[in-house]
Amino acid sequence: MKAWISGEHAATVKRPKLGFLGVGWIGRHRMKAILDSGAAEAAAIADSSADMAREAAALAPDAGIVSDLDALLDLELDGIVIATPSAAHAEQSIRALGAGFAVFCQKPLGRTASEVRAVVDASRTADRLLGVDLSYRHTQGMQQIRQLIRSNALGTIFAADLTFHNAYGPDKPWFYDKNQSGGGCVIDLGVHLVDLALWCLDFPSVTNVTSALRAGGKRLENKGQVEDFAAATLTLAGGEIIRLTCSWRLNAGCDAEIGADFFGTEGGASFRNVDGSFYDFTAVRMSGTSSETLALPPDDWGGRAAVDWARKLAGGQRYDPACENFIAVAEAIDGIYGAGI
């Protein structure tokens, strides 16, 4: 691909051609975000539901509708965006990367650290760009908080508390089958919390994990059961303590409770959803009993991870070593599950 041209000359980059595999609500949302950004074009759409495929095609009338991943792999595409059920993510990503396509995948990238490691290995071997939809990184609030932490404005971070309670449970049966989902609320919601904590702290090693997993208020009875409530503590290499809680169908008095608090020797920072919203967030910097606003809604953040990946692809980026951090997140989640049974 040609490089971006700045100054008086127009950009002459040929936009990447993408295939979209799985175009339910979230797949269509990410597709629309990429198309609206102008970073890439939709060349083909595949979904097991003809209705979903038709809805997605309304966003990109020139895109062809094909049957499945095999059909996408037969096309001349630059990348594939995957938003299928979790059990398929690793296998589909590996096949696409091995065929020479860049991949952007919904979380979780794999059900276990072993699966995630295999996808990252495939990205490295193929020298193709790999992205995962860890979308909360791209909120204005978390971007501001990470910058404060990285600049040492809060001093040494020694503790963090992160929460994601959802008053609803998933509406698709496969979420409750561990073989298909990889787990319950931890791998569905907690993956964002683990990622935000490690990402903000530049991915230090996790040295110890303790956890408690519950289903219907009771301890899990077997390894095949999925949890609807989890509490975990991660101890990091520098001694930092990360506490996580997440749940489905918690009686929280609102649609959702989402937050991330970081505590340092010179100050703190807090990221919070507003009035139970899944989309609106505030962020504040804290010093003693005072606080300073960092970010307020509105903030159209939902599709930014996908757009960021598409822009990197358009710029010619291939394998990105930062994707190895996906393994660290998956290993921490494996630790939470291993400690909770």
Side-chain angles (χ1 to χ4, degrees):
M1 294 180 186
K2 298 180 181 179
W4 289 104
I5 297 175
S6 58
E8 297 179 359
H9 300 284
T12 58
V13 169
K14 182 180 178 182
R15 293 189 301 168
K17 293 183 178 181
L18 303 181
F20 290 83
L21 179 64
V23 285
W25 181 86
I26 198 163
R28 289 197 307 278
H29 183 276
R30 300 319 188 235
M31 177 180 172
K32 184 176 187 301
I34 290 172
L35 298 181
D36 286 350
S37 75
E41 62 183 80
I45 296 163
D47 195 287
S48 58
S49 165
D51 290 340
M52 293 296 99
R54 281 193 295 270
E55 285 192 44
L59 300 173
D62 293 333
I65 296 178
V66 299
S67 57
D68 53 20
L69 177 59
D70 287 332
L72 289 174
L73 297 181
D74 285 337
L75 302 176
E76 292 187 5
L77 303 172
D78 298 293
I80 294 178
V81 177
I82 298 172
T84 55
S86 297
H89 287 178
E91 179 188 4
Q92 291 171 340
S93 296
I94 289 169
R95 289 187 61 200
L97 290 162
F101 301 97
V103 166
F104 181 80
C105 187
Q106 270 306 307
K107 57 79 187 170
L109 182 57
R111 294 165 293 181
T112 63
S114 177
E115 287 190 350
V116 172
R117 190 176 297 108
V119 180
V120 172
D121 287 346
S123 173
R124 186 188 305 109
T125 299
D127 193 23
R128 289 296 182 269
L129 183 65
L130 171 65
V132 176
D133 197 6
L134 295 165
S135 51
Y136 291 88
R137 290 186 185 186
H138 295 266
T139 58
Q140 290 180 6
M142 286 308 309
Q143 289 279 328
Q144 294 260 20
I145 288 172
R146 184 176 189 245
Q147 182 56 39
L148 288 176
I149 292 171
R150 289 169 63 87
S151 67
N152 296 316
L154 305 180
T156 300
I157 301 297
F158 59 86
D161 288 328
L162 300 97
T163 299
F164 198 146
H165 296 309
N166 186 341
Y168 312 98
D171 60 358
K172 296 180 175 61
W174 64 262
F175 276 94
Y176 302 92
D177 179 346
K178 191 170 184 179
N179 289 330
Q180 296 187 65
S181 63
C185 61
V186 170
I187 202 164
D188 180 39
L189 307 177
V191 62
H192 289 298
L193 306 183
V194 173
D195 178 68
L196 287 178
L198 298 183
W199 174 71
C200 282
L201 299 175
D202 283 334
F203 289 92
S205 298
V206 177
T207 59
N208 188 59
V209 179
T210 60
S211 64
L213 308 179
R214 300 287 184 268
K218 299 179 181 179
R219 293 177 63 91
L220 297 191
E221 297 178 353
N222 58 72
K223 291 187 177 182
Q225 193 174 14
V226 300
E227 76 288 352
D228 59 24
F229 179 90
T233 300
L234 312 182
T235 304
L236 307 184
E240 305 94 330
I241 299 296
I242 309 300
R243 299 189 302 180
L244 314 169
T245 54
C246 58
S247 66
W248 292 333
R249 294 185 302 276
L250 190 74
N251 297 307
C254 57
D255 287 343
E257 183 182 338
I258 306 168
D261 297 329
F262 293 85
F263 303 103
T265 54
E266 303 298 326
S270 179
F271 175 78
R272 283 278 184 277
N273 66 322
V274 178
D275 295 330
S277 173
F278 286 100
Y279 310 106
D280 294 331
F281 294 91
T282 62
V284 299
R285 177 178 180 175
M286 303 174 295
S287 179
T289 58
S290 64
S291 63
E292 170 194 353
T293 299
L294 299 173
L296 292 169
D299 179 19
D300 187 15
W301 55 273
R304 284 183 188 148
V307 171
D308 180 64
W309 171 84
R311 286 177 173 157
K312 288 177 179 176
L313 181 60
Q317 186 164 341
R318 298 170 81 89
Y319 175 71
D320 181 0
C323 73
E324 294 171 22
N325 291 328
F326 302 148
I327 301 171
V329 174
E331 288 176 340
I333 290 173
D334 276 5
I336 291 171
Y337 282 127
I341 297 293

